[in-house]
């Protein structure tokens, strides 16, 4: 594989979540199969190299005498086809696995306190020596160039392995959470590639459960897992090619992150300009094209911006013949037998509204109150047996995405007697758990007092405008919640929220415009999901 081929693959799948991690793992897996670089007939074959390794190892009494007896046959099924010049062996055969601390090492060794210090890729840099008193007999000893593996999950599953370098006094010691191999006549970087590859990590390792409940890689697997040994010269070529492709991967990751950052900055900047500007219908019409929305986060920001524009009167034009909102509010007050007070002062108003708009509270716009569920315990089966009246909970509201189509249970007549049946079209607002989740009932239903209901006056076509408004106000509503174990707000706080009311005809235009925008966003999000799946399938195909 050339860097050009690699970059071509990346361009096809770069938006895939986890793409680079998958490609990195793929490169390493290809490397240890002998498919990353070509074989050279002039290289000393691996069987001859292994003979030399065993001779060197035999001259090290510590390595030869302490070699653990392991059952290599147990892992033979993991082997695959390798080039003729390669040879299957084990880490135990090619090196010293888990060398133990020696008598005087505690005076000079650097102590590794946590296996998680390992870098994701590359080396473990250690320089600060820990107190020698912490180093105990039986701890694993390592030297410059040894290769270590963090054996506790999830460190292991994330490929937390590294080559030890920059050790103070040249040696170090680690706890039993480390697995270490000191390779002889084998490139440590090739051993590292093996440990990080999908072959070693993804082979259904029989993990053990430790005393603290963590999963651990067994030392027996580390020692006896089949290790594909290439000729030494080919190892060097493999390491050079892996370094080259990993460096390219890093460059591509930086480029992708920069691109996403610039897009995000452009989105935020444009959002601010749109919200703070004047009448900008032309910009609004072209907004989605300008931003090149390509992530769900960007789409969500776009939706929030459109909602904010709508509530400030900047989404649709004001028309001179539209009846002003204050006239509508007077009609509603008369219908409800109330009088409009002047309690909303200029200082109270969150921002200036266009001509024809007015501020109002929920209680002055229709029926507004908490749900009911008086009986205790609330889960009493006698309330639900053979029930026929839908009972909606906060979770149904949270999942509704604006329109409630599910219910948690059904009340019977006894359940209904201690509750209330709210009509289809009621706006539901949660005031506990997740604050200000909203949805409009698509059927008659009961709900508990953790949900507030709002039935808009009949002068309003429906509750859609108010549901859209609460989406923009949700963050501020949450700030009213007391700092208790379960955050909640009460009816008084919710009714203190000021709502911008446009003329009725403009309200209808706003709702129609927002309905179209939200539908387009849903379509775009769905297409992104399909695109992600397609890219994921393409990536898997390329890896295969």
């Amino acid at each position: 594989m050339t860097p050009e081929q690699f970059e071509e693959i990346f361009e096809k799948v770069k938006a895939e979540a986890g793409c680079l991690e998958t490609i990195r793992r793929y490169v390493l897996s290809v490397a240890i199969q002998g498919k990353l670089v070509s074989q050279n007939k002039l290289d000393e074959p691996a069987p001859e190299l292994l003979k030399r390794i065993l001779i060197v190892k035999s001259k090290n009494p510590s390595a030869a005498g302490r070699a653990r007896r392991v059952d290599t046959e147990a892992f033979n099924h993991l082997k695959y086809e390798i080039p003729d010049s390669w040879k299957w062996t084990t880490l135990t055969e090619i090196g010293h696995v888990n060398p133990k601390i020696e008598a005087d090492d505690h005076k000079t060794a650097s102590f590794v306190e946590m296996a998680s210090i390992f870098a994701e890729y590359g080396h473990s840099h250690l320089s600060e020596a820990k107190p020698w008193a912490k180093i105990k007999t039986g701890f694993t000893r390592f030297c410059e160039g040894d290769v270590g593996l963090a054996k506790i999950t999830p460190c292991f599953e994330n490929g937390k392995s590294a080559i030890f370098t920059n050790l103070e006094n040249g040696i170090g010691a680690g706890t039993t959470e480390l697995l270490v191999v000191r390779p002889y006549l084998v490139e440590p970087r090739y051993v590292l590639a093996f440990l990080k590859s999908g072959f070693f990590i993804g082979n259904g390792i029989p993990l053990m459960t430790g005393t603290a409940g963590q999963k651990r890689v067994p030392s027996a697997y580390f020692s006896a897992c089949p290790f594909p040994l290439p000729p030494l010269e080919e190892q060097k070529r493999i390491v050079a090619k892996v370094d080259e492709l990993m460096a390219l991967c890093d460059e591509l990751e930086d480029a992708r992150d920069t691109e996403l950052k610039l897009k995000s900055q452009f989105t935020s900047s444009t959002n601010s300009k749109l919200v703070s500007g004047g009448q900008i219908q032309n910009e609004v019409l072209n907004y989605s094209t300008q931003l090149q929305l390509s992530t769900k986060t960007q789409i969500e920001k776009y939706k929030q911006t459109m909602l904010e524009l709508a509530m400030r009167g900047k989404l649709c034009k004001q028309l001179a013949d539209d009846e002003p909102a204050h006239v509508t509010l007077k009609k509603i007050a008369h219908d409800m037998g109330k009088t409009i007070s002047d309690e909303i002062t200029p200082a109270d108003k969150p921002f200036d509204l266009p001509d024809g708009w007015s501020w109002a509270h929920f209680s002055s716009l229709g029926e507004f109150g908490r749900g009911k569920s008086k009986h205790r315990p609330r889960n009493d089966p006698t309330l639900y047996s053979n029930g026929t009246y839908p009972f909606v909970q906060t979770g149904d509201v949270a999942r509704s995405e604006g329109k409630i189509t599910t219910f948690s249970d059904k009340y019977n007549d006894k359940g209904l007697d201690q509750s209330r049946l709210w009509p289809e079209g009621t706006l539901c607002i949660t005031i506990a758990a997740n604050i200000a989740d909203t949805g409009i009932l698509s059927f008659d239903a009961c709900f508990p007092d953790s949900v507030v209901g709002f039935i808009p006056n009949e002068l309003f076509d429906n509750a859609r405008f108010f549901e859209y408004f609460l989406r923009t106000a949700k963050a501020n509503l949450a700030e009213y919640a007391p700092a208790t174990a379960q955050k909640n707000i009460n009816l008084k706080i919710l009714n203190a929220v000021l709502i911008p009311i446009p003329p009725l005809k403009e309200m209808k235009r706003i709702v129609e415009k927002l309905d179209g925008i939200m539908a387009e966003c849903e379509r775009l999000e769905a297409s992104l999901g399909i695109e992600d799946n397609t890219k994921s399938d393409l990536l898997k195909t390329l890896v295969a």
Side-chain angles (χ1 to χ4, degrees):
M1 180 192 295
T2 66
E4 290 75 20
Q5 291 171 323
F6 179 82
E7 193 159 2
E8 182 181 352
I9 290 174
F10 175 80
E11 283 302 317
K12 293 179 180 178
V13 296
K14 66 181 181 180
E16 163 70 17
C19 159
L20 284 167
E21 183 57 37
T22 302
I23 290 180
R24 284 188 178 109
R25 192 69 57 80
Y26 162 64
V27 168
L28 297 174
S29 297
V30 170
I32 66 167
Q33 293 179 62
K35 298 178 180 180
L36 189 61
V37 300
S38 59
Q39 284 74 49
N40 188 332
K41 293 182 179 180
L42 298 179
D43 292 343
E44 176 193 46
E48 297 301 316
L49 172 62
L50 184 58
K51 290 178 182 178
R52 293 200 295 120
I53 292 172
L54 295 176
I55 292 173
V56 172
K57 187 176 178 182
S58 68
K59 295 178 180 179
N60 184 339
S62 176
R66 295 186 183 181
R68 168 180 288 198
R69 294 178 179 273
V70 292
D71 181 12
T72 58
E73 297 294 326
F75 303 109
N76 277 344
H77 64 285
L78 300 178
K79 294 179 180 179
Y80 49 80
E81 186 176 349
I82 55 176
D84 294 338
S85 58
W86 290 35
K87 182 172 177 59
W88 282 108
T89 179
T90 65
L91 292 179
T92 296
E93 281 191 300
I94 62 99
H96 189 176
V97 173
N98 294 337
K100 299 303 180 185
I101 199 75
E102 298 179 5
D104 293 331
D105 285 342
H106 68 276
K107 297 179 181 179
T108 55
S110 301
F111 176 63
V112 179
E113 189 140 12
M114 292 296 293
S116 58
I117 63 169
F118 286 162
E120 187 65 30
Y121 289 96
H123 302 260
S124 173
H125 297 284
L126 304 176
S127 58
E128 182 181 355
K130 300 295 180 181
W132 63 265
K134 288 189 175 183
I135 299 176
K136 303 175 184 178
T137 302
F139 277 9
T140 299
R141 180 186 195 273
F142 45 84
C143 299
E144 292 279 329
D146 287 0
V147 184
L149 173 78
K151 73 175 184 179
I152 296 180
T153 58
C155 291
F156 158 71
E157 293 166 334
N158 294 332
K160 295 290 187 181
S161 48
I163 299 172
F164 293 110
T165 61
N166 295 346
L167 299 176
E168 185 172 334
N169 300 314
I171 61 173
T175 67
T176 55
E177 314 308 337
L178 299 172
L179 293 171
V180 174
V181 61
R182 181 172 303 148
Y184 297 108
L185 303 181
V186 176
E187 282 287 330
R189 293 282 293 172
Y190 176 75
V191 177
L192 188 67
F194 168 75
L195 293 177
K196 288 183 178 294
S197 70
F199 171 77
F200 181 76
I201 293 176
N203 265 326
I205 298 174
L207 298 176
M208 300 187 305
T209 302
T211 54
Q214 306 105 323
K215 295 292 185 179
R216 290 174 166 81
V217 179
S219 298
Y221 177 81
F222 183 76
S223 302
C225 178
F227 178 79
L229 179 66
L232 182 56
E233 292 303 314
E234 186 173 343
Q235 291 177 38
K236 295 177 181 178
R237 294 195 298 274
I238 289 172
V239 167
K241 178 60 71 172
V242 167
D243 286 346
E244 179 185 8
L245 292 175
M246 291 301 176
L248 177 58
C249 214
D250 291 341
E251 291 177 13
L252 292 170
E253 186 170 39
D254 289 343
R256 183 197 62 183
D257 291 347
T258 299
E259 178 184 352
L260 292 176
K261 184 178 181 180
L262 289 173
K263 279 187 177 182
S264 179
Q265 289 175 343
F266 177 68
T267 302
S268 299
S269 174
T270 307
N271 286 352
S272 298
K273 291 178 182 178
L274 286 172
V275 172
S276 61
Q279 291 292 344
I280 46 175
Q281 275 72 35
N282 290 334
E283 289 186 61
V284 171
L285 292 174
N286 299 318
Y287 184 64
S288 135
T289 304
Q290 292 171 13
L291 291 183
Q292 297 179 331
L293 302 176
S294 58
T295 69
K296 289 186 177 180
T297 299
Q298 290 174 341
I299 294 172
E300 190 60 35
K301 287 183 178 180
Y302 169 59
K303 289 195 290 187
Q304 288 300 315
T305 297
M306 294 299 101
L307 289 168
E308 188 74 19
L309 289 171
M311 297 306 140
R312 291 173 179 263
K314 297 179 180 180
L315 189 61
C316 298
K317 291 182 179 180
Q318 282 78 50
L319 301 180
D321 58 349
D322 287 346
E323 182 179 82
H326 71 86
V327 176
T328 303
L329 294 178
K330 286 182 179 180
K331 292 179 180 178
I332 295 174
H334 181 269
D335 183 54
M336 297 174 64
K338 297 181 178 181
T339 58
I340 296 179
S341 64
D342 296 325
E343 61 185 43
I344 303 175
T345 67
D348 295 329
K349 299 175 181 178
F351 49 83
D352 292 333
L353 294 176
D355 292 339
W357 288 49
S358 296
W359 291 101
H361 296 112
F362 272 114
S363 58
S364 64
L365 299 170
E367 185 178 353
F368 187 63
R370 295 178 70 166
K372 293 181 180 179
S373 183
K374 295 180 179 180
H375 186 84
R376 297 294 184 274
R378 290 180 177 175
N379 60 351
D380 186 343
T382 63
L383 302 175
Y384 304 96
S385 179
N386 299 318
T388 57
Y389 307 103
F391 179 58
V392 169
Q393 295 271 35
T394 55
D396 298 302
V397 181
R399 293 187 296 269
S400 69
E401 297 185 356
K403 184 178 181 180
I404 301 172
T405 58
T406 65
F407 49 86
S408 300
D409 215 324
K410 289 183 178 181
Y411 274 149
N412 54 26
D413 288 338
K414 180 179 177 180
L416 180 62
D417 286 343
Q418 54 86 54
S419 185
R420 173 190 172 178
L421 192 65
W422 293 76
E424 176 184 352
T426 298
L427 171 62
C428 296
I429 310 163
T430 62
I431 58 172
N434 295 326
I435 294 172
D437 284 333
T438 54
I440 298 174
L441 289 176
S442 60
F443 44 78
D444 296 351
C446 302
F447 45 78
D449 56 7
S450 56
V451 177
V452 168
F454 172 65
I455 304 173
N457 185 271
E458 61 183 11
L459 288 179
F460 300 110
D461 288 341
N462 49 53
R464 292 290 290 155
F465 178 85
F466 305 100
E467 197 275 327
Y468 281 136
F469 162 73
L470 282 170
R471 294 192 199 185
T472 68
K474 180 175 180 178
N476 291 330
L477 288 176
E479 293 177 1
Y480 284 102
T484 59
Q486 181 175 359
K487 288 200 166 195
N488 58 76
I489 57 177
N490 56 39
L491 195 65
K492 182 179 179 181
I493 290 174
L494 190 57
N495 191 50
V497 174
L498 286 171
I499 307 170
I501 305 298
L504 288 178
K505 290 183 179 180
E506 185 176 349
M507 180 183 289
K508 185 175 182 179
R509 295 195 297 272
I510 289 172
V511 169
E512 289 176 352
K513 174 73 76 171
L514 286 176
D515 284 346
I517 289 172
M518 297 303 162
E520 180 63 19
C521 286
E522 289 177 7
R523 185 200 63 77
L524 185 55
E525 285 180 327
S527 69
L528 286 177
I530 295 172
E531 185 179 356
D532 286 344
N533 291 334
T534 302
K535 288 176 179 175
S536 178
D537 292 341
L538 174 59
L539 182 59
K540 292 174 183 177
T541 302
L542 289 168
V543 170

